[in-house]
Amino acid sequence: MDDNLETPFAAPKPDAPQEREEDEQSSGDEDQGPDWTKIPGLNVARPVIPKRGEKDFEPIAQGGSGLQRHVLDRSRAAMLEALKATRTISYKSVSHAIWYPELSRAHVTVARGIHFTTMGHSAARPAPVPEEDAKKMQKRLELLPEEALYLVERGAMYCWKPTDEPIHHTAHLDDMGGVPMMVQQAFAEMIGTEDLTLEKYQVYAYLKRLGYVVTRAKPPSSDYPVPPPFPSKARTSTSILARLYNAMASLLARLTRIFSPSFDWWRPIRCSRWLHHNMSNVSLYKSLRFLSSGHHVPLHIQRTPEKPPSQYEIFFHLYKPSTPFKKTAPPPPDFSVVVVNARTSPMPTISELTDLFGQLPELPPPAPRKRVSFAQQKLAAASAASSTPSQAKGPTSTEQSLRTPVTAWLWPPSCFGAAQKSSVQARPPNPFPSLKMGNKIVVIAAVDAGTISFFRFGQGVFTEWPMA
Amino acid sequence: MSLIGPSRHQGSQKAGARRAENNRIYAHPLPLAFHAPDSASALSRLFSLFGVSSTRLDNPHCEGIFDPYTRSVWVVSEKDSTILWRRGFFGKGDLSRSEPSWLARQINARKAAGKYMTSEEIREKRRAERRQFKLDRAAAIARAAAEAEAAFAEGREAAPTGPTLPEAPPDDSDEDSDGEEEEPLENVEHLQLTLQEAWFLVWNLDCLTVLDSQTNQPMTLQQIWRAFQDVHSIPPPQSPTDPQALRFDNPFLIHYAAYHYYRALGWVVKGGIKFCVDFLLYKRGPVFHHAEFAVVVIPVYEDPADQESSPFNLPNSETFSWTWLSTVNRVNSQVQKTLILTYVTIPARSRISPELVSSPACLAHYSVRDVVLRRFIPARMRD
């Protein structure tokens, strides 16, 4: 927004250094169009025009001026010139595949380029020429419809369709026994097969173009490799001291409950000086949490059976470009993506979200930022060493966090407050990164006639990070 | 009583002193204040060994008047208003932005040198500065465009316009007001508590007495519970056994379930109408830091038949469209708040008997869960 108190002038602005922290939610960089002067295939001898000018806040009273028209025409001309150039690819780097509509797969006969390290899977099919002792399976590289369509649209692959008509032999193209498909024909044939809609293809193509590896979450056939199932939540291993403390605390709680009156809904909180009952802010807040809350509380929402099955299913697994991806043994995915049409589907209901979260693993809280003291920063800068050991202000260890409740139980806090203070030396972990991320994340892509909005829905962890 | 307003030109020393002052004034997170004894005398140590605590509990016993037309509880006494605001940031002054500061503003307006500025005065000053800046900027743009036009007409290649280095905003000089003798000021402002805040104070902390506006008699808990729900039924139910009276989806109950959930976790919960949401969550209070989270309360019916027979048209009970969700998310991310969707499930009348609504025990059957919503920008999340 226009927050800086600046007045404009006619000279160009010097490039502001890109030092500001990338705001995760702002979309400034993403919305800028492509730089038309840097597209390959254009003539070199052309005037260089600036990438994007500053927008005028108000139109001039006299109407559009000559300068404004001139600048606008220049940018438009650059864009049209870039689009006019023909895209070419060397015939030595083109791959070839045959599209089988009844299988809705494309069988890759000639694979060239780096695409196939992350795309395609090997499927076993019966041999094309039936021999005497038939039933001989051959493994071959196959592509799902979205993968084939993506490569065809890029121009990196020729897709052929088998046909019975006589074929004219062409130079440079191997005798494939079929006719090459146009991109238009590829779209028409492949969208609609194998659960692929136009929205899903658009999301797939967008993410692939950015460099991610995108695979299907639900394997369409048994040949499709799947990542290992998410490990169920491992029980936190508790030391003997912790278990002993828990047992004693529950016993004490049961004893006090015998002597204290039963829970009265008209008077839920009682503060009494006997037994330090709710005589501090911390314990008062703890007793305030008597209403059921959190995601583990069961949902009793009635599902109407006549409603169609929910559209909210995890469709794609997303891997970041930096993750080492092996086609035959894919690692657990970085993100799980659901694709919906924004015009026809409303937002997910809580039951749909709970179902989605049920399939996802719990993520650990994000690592705290390493804080380096000023003296160490200067040292690092002076010596230009790569890594100075930084003061780890990580979460307190289990033993340290155990010591505090034990001291609180054995000695009344009013007498021995000093002992408590000494045990809380390390900085407690910052709750905000964890609160803002949640512990389970699902990415929902809402496609609105070509415009894709990605949202991250995270399961809230407010009950685990109380402020008091 | 008046706020020392934050100003951009103060040094860090003053900011530290202000922070210490705020820590001292707003030390108690709830109106029930606990005073631990400083001296660990032998007697108090003896008592604590026997399990008797020697901390003193200070209950302010505030008083408020229930006003069904504004659906709020008015706290008229100045002392009670101050206590409720300073211990937990409850309520809002009805003539002020947040803290009841109308009297201070009037006194400032009369005094010659306004040393302390309330938050409203800071806001007015800021708006005046910005208005002036925008006028200056529009004039400068027009000048720059005229320059560029002239250059282009001459045939010189001119680059598009751009902004300059920032200028210091114009300094407003304080106006001197003549010290005329005027009649003594009477504080006509009161503190307004929402129904949820009032019920929280009455029910859990027992530090507020609610008087009936007609009879000026203190209301019993049962009467308050009934009255707070009946304000939402139009026309009000004739008898307690009216089927309209006993409904789980009364807006008061749903918002109270969400309010209680966040208050019990230690957050300061204030209204969020400024940002298209229901609640704003502050870590310690509005004077310390901006709100980190914006909460939208989404009621979910367990039984769809309840929704059809409901006389209340609960907001957000129909599933959102994506455009509305994008709108709310964008408004809040512009102000660096994270959007939280809080789902409150309304028990089905078929599963839980509606008779339970006559006591707060029905609150045990609402479940509250939250979902964090953020945008995902694949171009940025690649590494």
Side-chain angles (χ1 to χ4, degrees):
Chain A
M1 296 290 274
D2 49 349
D3 253 352
N4 36 3
L5 302 181
E6 294 174 347
T7 50
F9 70 122
K13 174 174 77 158
D15 257 324
Q18 298 287 342
E19 273 169 13
R20 55 175 178 84
E21 243 184 56
E22 299 282 357
D23 184 12
E24 280 192 4
Q25 308 268 28
S26 80
S27 64
D29 278 353
E30 172 202 335
D31 288 348
Q32 278 179 358
D35 186 4
W36 295 106
T37 54
K38 307 252 186 336
I39 312 278
L42 298 177
N43 306 333
V44 184
R46 341 169 357 102
V48 175
I49 59 171
K51 198 159 132 181
R52 214 186 190 192
E54 283 285 331
K55 214 160 59 163
D56 283 342
F57 289 105
E58 290 172 5
I60 304 182
Q62 303 91 294
S65 66
L67 173 64
Q68 289 177 337
R69 259 203 309 273
H70 170 73
V71 170
L72 196 59
D73 286 341
R74 221 167 34 170
S75 315
R76 209 182 283 140
M79 181 180 85
L80 292 172
E81 279 290 329
L83 288 176
K84 254 196 292 191
T86 38
R87 293 160 56 183
T88 54
I89 184 170
S90 148
Y91 74 94
K92 288 195 202 119
S93 32
V94 179
S95 323
H96 294 270
I98 305 180
W99 168 252
Y100 294 102
E102 64 278 1
L103 296 174
S104 42
R105 295 278 187 277
H107 157 50
V108 182
T109 49
V110 179
R112 293 196 189 116
I114 57 161
H115 299 290
F116 296 96
T117 52
T118 54
M119 288 169 71
H121 57 281
S122 74
R125 301 276 171 210
V129 181
E131 301 180 348
E132 302 87 39
D133 43 329
K135 295 302 169 217
K136 186 156 166 222
M137 301 291 263
Q138 231 179 20
K139 283 201 142 193
R140 58 185 200 180
L141 181 62
E142 286 194 347
L143 294 175
L144 286 172
E146 65 256 18
E147 297 170 336
L149 190 52
Y150 172 70
L151 289 174
V152 169
E153 202 188 15
R154 262 188 87 106
M157 189 169 88
Y158 247 115
C159 203
W160 299 78
K161 190 150 177 218
T163 172
D164 298 324
E165 292 165 20
I167 306 155
H168 186 71
H169 198 77
T170 331
H172 295 314
L173 292 174
D174 312 328
D175 190 8
M176 296 289 286
V179 284
M181 293 169 81
M182 293 194 301
V183 178
Q184 207 176 15
Q185 184 186 7
F187 263 94
E189 296 234 3
M190 295 180 194
I191 303 273
T193 60
E194 200 66 70
D195 220 5
L196 182 73
T197 60
L198 191 57
E199 290 91 32
K200 298 196 170 105
Y201 173 69
Q202 277 170 341
V203 173
Y204 178 85
Y206 177 70
L207 292 170
K208 281 294 292 182
R209 269 196 292 270
L210 284 173
Y212 288 89
V213 177
V214 189
T215 59
R216 287 239 191 156
K218 240 181 9 181
S221 67
S222 53
D223 297 313
Y224 196 74
V226 280
F230 295 122
S232 58
K233 187 176 169 204
R235 291 182 57 81
T236 48
S237 58
T238 44
S239 65
I240 295 199
L241 196 61
R243 265 181 275 163
L244 186 68
Y245 168 69
N246 284 336
M248 298 285 267
S250 57
L251 185 69
L252 195 68
R254 249 178 280 160
L255 283 173
T256 46
R257 233 177 290 146
I258 296 174
F259 290 114
S260 60
S262 58
F263 189 72
D264 176 18
W265 275 101
W266 290 103
R267 194 77 205 286
I269 310 285
R270 281 169 208 280
C271 298
S272 73
R273 296 168 64 170
W274 178 247
L275 278 186
H276 306 278
H277 192 62
N278 288 343
M279 285 308 277
S280 71
N281 279 322
V282 179
S283 64
L284 181 59
Y285 271 114
K286 236 186 267 189
S287 357
L288 275 173
R289 296 174 209 145
F290 55 85
L291 292 183
S292 62
S293 54
H295 287 266
H296 54 271
V297 176
L299 271 180
H300 295 283
I301 299 185
Q302 299 170 3
R303 292 160 198 255
T304 45
E306 56 269 4
K307 259 207 298 212
S310 159
Q311 294 202 8
Y312 284 94
E313 280 182 349
I314 299 180
F315 196 74
F316 286 126
H317 280 320
L318 209 61
Y319 297 87
K320 292 191 204 170
S322 44
T323 316
F325 179 78
K326 194 156 171 275
K327 250 198 319 189
T328 44
D334 293 318
F335 300 106
S336 308
V337 181
V338 177
V339 182
V340 290
N341 186 340
R343 303 242 170 125
T344 57
S345 324
M347 237 184 64
T349 63
I350 186 64
S351 13
E352 287 167 340
L353 279 174
T354 314
D355 287 340
L356 283 175
F357 287 138
Q359 304 170 31
L360 293 168
E362 250 189 48
L363 299 170
R369 250 199 344 227
K370 280 221 181 91
R371 287 148 167 266
V372 185
S373 75
F374 184 59
Q376 286 176 332
Q377 266 180 352
K378 272 174 51 173
L379 200 66
S383 64
S386 53
S387 58
T388 325
S390 53
Q391 273 179 321
K393 299 261 198 257
T396 57
S397 61
T398 42
E399 287 99 38
Q400 196 153 32
S401 61
L402 190 52
R403 222 181 292 140
T404 357
V406 171
T407 48
W409 178 66
L410 287 175
W411 294 288
S414 57
C415 281
F416 292 87
Q420 266 194 333
K421 280 202 203 95
S422 62
S423 60
V424 187
Q425 284 291 352
R427 190 193 288 258
N430 193 3
F432 284 98
S434 189
L435 283 175
K436 292 189 185 175
M437 200 171 81
N439 62 354
K440 295 187 182 184
I441 298 180
V442 65
V443 176
I444 299 190
V447 186
D448 183 1
T451 317
I452 312 175
S453 310
F454 290 93
F455 290 97
R456 255 186 297 182
F457 284 76
Q459 194 177 62
V461 287
F462 277 81
T463 42
E464 285 157 39
W465 297 94
M467 285 288 124
Chain B
M1 182 180 130
S2 45
L3 279 173
I4 300 175
S7 164
R8 264 164 264 154
H9 307 298
Q10 299 242 353
S12 61
Q13 207 180 18
K14 284 201 173 167
R18 200 183 341 117
R19 223 177 299 132
E21 181 75 14
N22 277 345
N23 282 341
R24 191 186 58 79
I25 301 177
Y26 303 101
H28 301 284
L30 289 175
L32 293 184
F34 298 103
H35 298 287
D38 299 318
S39 60
S41 66
L43 198 63
S44 63
R45 250 188 241 186
L46 188 69
F47 274 143
S48 39
L49 259 160
F50 279 107
V52 178
S53 159
S54 46
T55 38
R56 249 185 339 109
L57 174 63
D58 171 26
N59 190 333
H61 292 296
C62 310
E63 230 176 40
I65 304 175
F66 171 55
D67 183 34
Y69 301 107
T70 56
R71 291 182 185 173
S72 56
V73 172
W74 294 16
V75 177
V76 183
S77 140
E78 207 173 298
K79 173 171 155 303
D80 286 347
S81 310
T82 318
I83 289 181
L84 284 178
W85 173 259
R86 289 208 179 157
R87 297 188 192 174
F89 302 97
F90 288 92
K92 173 193 175 298
D94 73 320
L95 295 175
S96 314
R97 218 176 129 194
S98 54
E99 181 187 357
S101 61
W102 180 83
L103 194 64
R105 274 181 287 139
Q106 298 302 313
I107 294 175
N108 275 1
R110 289 190 180 184
K111 271 202 219 156
K115 268 199 293 230
Y116 301 139
M117 287 211 289
T118 56
S119 57
E120 284 83 358
E121 284 155 3
I122 296 166
R123 179 192 63 190
E124 290 311 313
K125 183 158 174 281
R126 186 179 69 226
R127 283 182 181 173
E129 275 176 20
R130 233 183 131 66
R131 205 174 311 134
Q132 184 57 40
F133 161 68
K134 282 188 178 168
L135 289 173
D136 291 342
R137 184 177 66 188
I141 288 178
R143 258 199 319 269
E147 274 177 34
E149 262 310 301
F152 178 68
E154 287 177 24
R156 272 188 279 143
E157 187 77 14
T161 62
T164 48
L165 302 159
E167 277 174 20
D171 213 48
D172 286 344
S173 59
D174 284 338
E175 288 174 13
D176 280 346
S177 58
D178 290 347
E180 272 183 26
E181 248 334 293
E182 295 175 17
E183 27 182 86
L185 273 179
E186 195 192 311
N187 192 1
V188 295
E189 192 181 24
H190 60 266
L191 186 80
Q192 237 170 283
L193 296 171
T194 63
L195 295 181
Q196 284 82 25
E197 290 172 336
W199 179 249
F200 180 81
L201 292 171
V202 165
W203 186 44
N204 294 107
L205 304 181
D206 200 22
C207 60
L208 182 71
T209 318
V210 181
L211 307 177
D212 190 62
S213 53
Q214 253 97 46
T215 62
N216 257 3
Q217 294 299 313
M219 298 165 75
T220 65
L221 264 186
Q222 285 79 359
Q223 284 175 327
I224 299 176
W225 176 249
R226 200 57 269 133
F228 280 6
Q229 289 179 59
D230 288 342
V231 286
H232 290 278
S233 317
I234 298 160
Q238 309 304 328
S239 74
T241 51
D242 191 349
Q244 213 196 42
L246 299 172
R247 285 203 67 96
F248 283 116
D249 56 358
N250 195 305
F252 165 70
L253 295 173
I254 295 163
H255 282 261
Y256 183 72
Y259 182 87
H260 185 105
Y261 170 66
Y262 286 109
R263 263 285 176 189
L265 287 168
W267 297 92
V268 171
V269 187
K270 304 294 293 176
I273 189 74
K274 261 202 316 200
F275 301 108
C276 301
V277 294
D278 289 309
F279 293 128
L280 291 178
L281 298 184
Y282 294 87
K283 183 177 167 193
R284 282 178 69 196
V287 300
F288 293 105
H289 196 263
H290 289 299
E292 284 285 347
F293 296 104
V295 172
V296 178
V297 176
I298 300 182
V300 181
Y301 282 91
E302 286 184 5
D303 186 0
D306 284 348
Q307 191 171 11
E308 281 145 39
S309 64
S310 161
F312 312 111
N313 189 11
L314 289 176
N316 300 338
S317 55
E318 303 289 332
T319 40
F320 276 24
S321 70
W322 285 101
T323 41
W324 176 235
L325 185 71
S326 297
T327 310
V328 180
N329 192 29
R330 204 173 266 269
V331 165
N332 282 293
S333 44
Q334 288 284 8
V335 289
Q336 278 118 36
K337 296 191 203 307
T338 310
L339 189 64
I340 309 264
L341 306 173
T342 300
Y343 291 89
V344 180
T345 58
I346 304 171
R349 293 166 77 90
S350 44
R351 191 169 66 90
I352 313 279
S353 151
E355 297 294 321
L356 209 55
V357 182
S358 45
S359 113
C362 65
L363 288 171
H365 298 285
Y366 293 80
S367 76
V368 183
R369 61 200 74 216
D370 39 31
V371 172
V372 183
L373 181 73
R374 297 164 85 191
R375 275 190 72 198
F376 175 75
I377 303 171
R380 299 252 175 95
M381 298 295 295
R382 273 187 277 197
D383 37 292

